[in-house]
Amino acid sequence: MFHLSAGHVKSLATAAVKRGLTYIDCPVTGLPEAAAKGQLTLLIGAEQEDLERVGTVLSSISGVIRHFGPVGTGTAYKLMINLMGAIQIAALAEGLAQAERLGLNRKW
């Protein structure tokens, strides 16, 4: 089974560098409409010089570029965002279930 983690991303970067390639960690956020307009938010983990080298390409698909540090930090930040979103969804579900158990009117 595949598990995305900052560590896994770092191992991919190591393998890429061994082959003479550059690896940029670049998760995105944004809805499909933002993608269609080239307005995604990019969460970058990369060496500064690598980011500068591809900045024009990244700017063509994004409205916001956030550079968090070396490879792995973009993924770490994205996973943190995903965790917070999952917690909010779970809390909402628990609240609705509790309201139902208490007999509250959910239609008002």
Side-chain angles (χ1 to χ4, degrees):
M1 179 189 282
F2 173 76
H3 296 281
L4 180 63
S5 68
H8 178 71
V9 167
K10 289 176 188 178
S11 69
L12 292 174
T14 299
V17 169
K18 285 181 182 176
R19 290 172 175 80
L21 303 170
T22 299
Y23 188 98
I24 293 177
D25 169 24
C26 185
V28 302
T29 65
L31 299 172
E33 297 80 28
K37 294 178 183 176
Q39 294 297 311
L40 292 169
T41 296
L42 307 182
L43 311 173
I44 306 288
E47 296 303 321
Q48 185 65 41
E49 59 272 11
D50 294 336
L51 179 56
E52 289 170 6
R53 204 167 54 245
V54 298
T56 303
V57 174
L58 296 178
S59 294
S60 71
I61 63 168
S62 67
V64 177
I65 296 175
R66 299 281 185 235
H67 183 212
F68 292 98
V71 169
T73 57
T75 295
Y77 193 82
K78 175 67 175 186
L79 291 172
M80 183 182 65
I81 291 170
N82 289 354
L83 174 63
M84 289 187 292
I87 289 168
Q88 290 174 342
I89 291 167
L92 177 61
E94 287 295 325
L96 291 173
Q98 180 70 6
E100 189 172 304
R101 284 190 296 274
L102 295 170
L104 299 176
N105 180 355
R106 292 176 35 190
K107 295 182 181 180
W108 43 264

